[in-house]
Structure formats: structure tokens, C-alpha cells
Amino acid sequence: MSYDLIVIGGGPAGLTAGLYGARGGLNTLIIERGAPGGQAGQTDRIENYPGFPEGISGLDLAFKFTEQAQRHGARLEMGTVEKVDFSGEIKRVWTNEAEYTGRAVIIATGASPRPLEVPGEETLRGRGVSYCATCDGAFFRGKKVAVVGGGDSAVEEALFLTRFAEQVTIIHRRDRLRAIKVLQQRAQENPKISFYWNTVVEAILGENKVEALRLKDVVSGGTWEEPFDGVFIFIGLKPNTEFLGNAIALDENGYIITREDLSTSAPGVFAAGDVRAKAFRQVTTAVGDGAAAAMAAQRYLTEAFQ
């Protein structure tokens, strides 16, 4: 089926782009591979999104985004985009189940948690190794868990885990956190949270589930093994751009390079949200990207097809 606008990704950026596209009179399709909302939809509490002074759960916010986009006429299809062809005036997008064509495309596929890439991580994924505290925290009631990372996400997830775990240890390769001050203060004041500074995980140990971590002090070089029931990894993101191949220009880290109007190296193709090369990655900036990309796509369609 052919559309005016195809939006790849149903997180805050993609859903906003779909809303603006549909509301602007474009026949708009949003393709999402999982639950709408992206990373935001897996966040326990969002306290800095305007309009919700008491905060809102990421799941509830994602539902509101989705409902609003669909109410204005955007069509939502589930599927994993496997390849694209942006070489012609009509863009082609293939999912694992169907083929779609469109006159303009917005890529809003976001970014995924970056793995540690240490022994035991892949084999114990889902058996004590997790990248989402909101998804898996309840499985660790009364347990001892580690959180690897020192940014906002790591500290937010560590705080969430204290609702279930008996002990939460934040493991950070530096000697201080990178998270914003208010999160640092909350973590430091929480009696369930302890810290290992200047420390990295060398291996995740266990037969059928996580049983321990092999840790290394990066200052002294000393190593030791310590029992843990689970490990939650928050060390950054990698862009979800594998499906693009050589269709558009990416930077050295795999993020999409965009111009000021969020257009890419392929005419009629735009990018929004965490998938593009930019300085800040927040729900608010993703929403702004989605709106701007949709308006730029509408301008492109007006100029190119009329």
C-alpha cells in the first residue's frame, strides 16, 4: 500500500511525526516493531515532561501519544523494518511481513541499550542480565542486584529497583556519577544503594542464571568475584540503523546525519529523535524533532509533487 508519509518507529518522535503528518492531511503510516512508546514507554516515571506537574508513567504517556496520533488519522502497523530503498522518488520500505511505498519517510527508530560485551552477558540475557529495570525489576524482590553505569538512566533505574531489591550496587568506571544532581542526591541518600567507584565488570558468572560478577578496580588493577542475583546495564545507547545499509549517510557511531530541517542525504527522507546525531536525547527533544521532521516532510511533498 502506498502512503504520503511513512514513519519508521513509534516512540515519542515517531508518534509525534505521525500526529503532525496525519493532522496536516497526509496519508500517514507509522511502523513500530514493539510496543509504541520506545524507551520512554519503558520508563517508570517521567517527571520533566511539560504538562504533567506530578509526573506520569512512561507507559501512560506512550498510550496518550499513540491515541492522539491515531485519533487524527495516522495508521499504526506492527512490524520490523528489514530493508529500505530511498533511491527513487517513491521510497520503498520492507518489513518482515509486508512492503510499503511512500513519497516521504521519517526515520524515528531510536536507540537501544549498549551491551557491555563481556563473557556471560549474552548467554545469561533474560536470566539475570537485563537492560530494563521497569520490565524486570519485580523478579528481583529481596535480591541483591548491580546497576552498571553512572548517567541519568542508570541512577533512575537503580532508584526504581530499590522498590524490589534488598540491595542495589551502582558500579561505575569513574569516581563520580554523571547523572544530574537531583538524581545523585536521591541515590546517595537511599539506604539500599551502595557504590563501587572506578570499577568495571569483566565477566558475568553463572550456569543457568546470574550468580556473580567478576569486577576490576581500574585504579589498582585488582580483581574479585562477588555474588549478585542480577545485573542491569545502562552504559549508553547504540542507534537502531542497521536496516538502513548504505541508504543514507551516518556518522562514525551509526547515527543519522541531518541538516537543520532534519532532512538526510536522501531527498524526501528525514530523521527524528534519538536515532539522529545530536547533543541531547530526551522525550521533549524527541517530540520537537518529530514535529519539525513532519513539517519539513510536508514542505518537501508540496514542493516535489505539486
Side-chain angles (χ1 to χ4, degrees):
M1 188 171 179
S2 185
Y3 293 87
D4 295 322
L5 175 64
I6 297 175
V7 180
I8 305 175
L15 291 169
T16 304
L19 163 65
Y20 269 69
R23 191 170 181 272
L26 303 180
N27 185 16
T28 301
L29 170 69
I30 303 170
I31 304 173
E32 168 56 36
R33 66 178 180 179
Q39 294 283 331
Q42 298 178 3
T43 302
D44 173 57
R45 199 77 184 162
I46 297 175
E47 297 180 331
N48 57 357
Y49 192 81
F52 297 93
E54 303 302 321
I56 185 172
S57 77
L59 189 62
D60 287 344
L61 187 60
F63 177 79
K64 290 179 182 293
F65 282 159
T66 305
E67 181 183 36
Q68 191 171 8
Q70 291 179 314
R71 181 177 294 176
H72 283 279
R75 179 179 176 186
L76 179 64
E77 290 283 348
M78 308 308 293
T80 300
V81 175
E82 296 181 338
K83 63 177 181 177
V84 297
D85 181 358
F86 298 151
S87 60
E89 190 175 71
I90 300 300
K91 319 303 177 188
R92 305 171 73 87
V93 175
W94 289 268
T95 72
N96 54 325
E97 295 185 353
E99 176 185 350
Y100 303 97
T101 59
R103 298 189 298 168
V105 171
I106 295 174
I107 302 166
T109 46
S112 298
R114 190 175 296 279
L116 282 173
E117 298 183 343
V118 298
E121 179 179 15
E122 188 58 37
T123 57
L124 294 172
R125 184 189 295 255
R127 291 183 288 172
V129 174
S130 177
Y131 306 86
C132 177
T134 310
C135 309
D136 301 326
F139 295 117
F140 296 90
R141 195 176 300 275
K143 304 292 187 179
K144 176 183 177 182
V145 300
V147 171
V148 183
D152 289 352
S153 295
V155 178
E156 285 174 346
E157 301 295 81
L159 288 164
F160 175 79
L161 285 167
T162 61
R163 301 183 186 184
F164 306 101
E166 182 65 28
Q167 181 180 348
V168 179
T169 302
I170 295 178
I171 300 170
H172 189 37
R173 64 168 53 246
R174 298 179 175 84
D175 61 357
R176 62 175 63 90
L177 297 172
R178 293 180 290 106
I180 60 174
K181 293 297 182 182
V182 64
L183 291 176
Q184 292 190 40
Q185 184 175 354
R186 289 179 188 173
Q188 289 161 353
E189 292 175 351
N190 193 304
K192 285 190 174 183
I193 295 179
S194 58
F195 301 87
Y196 279 159
W197 305 113
N198 301 310
T199 302
V200 296
V201 176
E202 286 203 324
I204 301 171
L205 310 174
E207 292 295 324
N208 298 312
K209 63 178 183 177
V210 171
E211 298 173 0
L213 300 179
R214 182 182 301 133
L215 303 172
K216 178 179 180 179
D217 186 312
V218 297
V219 177
S220 68
T223 62
W224 74 99
E225 293 181 7
E226 183 169 337
F228 284 95
D229 299 299
V231 54
F232 291 79
I233 300 166
F234 305 101
I235 58 168
L237 301 170
K238 60 175 182 178
N240 297 320
T241 52
E242 297 88 348
F243 68 95
L244 290 171
N246 297 318
I248 55 176
L250 309 176
D251 72 6
E252 65 274 12
N253 296 312
Y255 289 96
I256 299 173
I257 299 171
T258 55
R259 303 181 183 90
E260 186 176 357
D261 66 350
L262 305 191
S263 60
T264 70
S265 59
V269 179
F270 304 81
D274 289 1
V275 74
R276 75 181 188 92
K278 61 176 186 173
F280 303 108
R281 293 182 168 83
Q282 295 285 310
V283 177
T284 47
T285 60
V287 166
D289 275 6
M295 289 187 287
Q298 192 157 19
R299 178 184 296 172
Y300 162 80
L301 290 172
T302 299
E303 294 174 352
F305 290 91
Q306 291 185 9

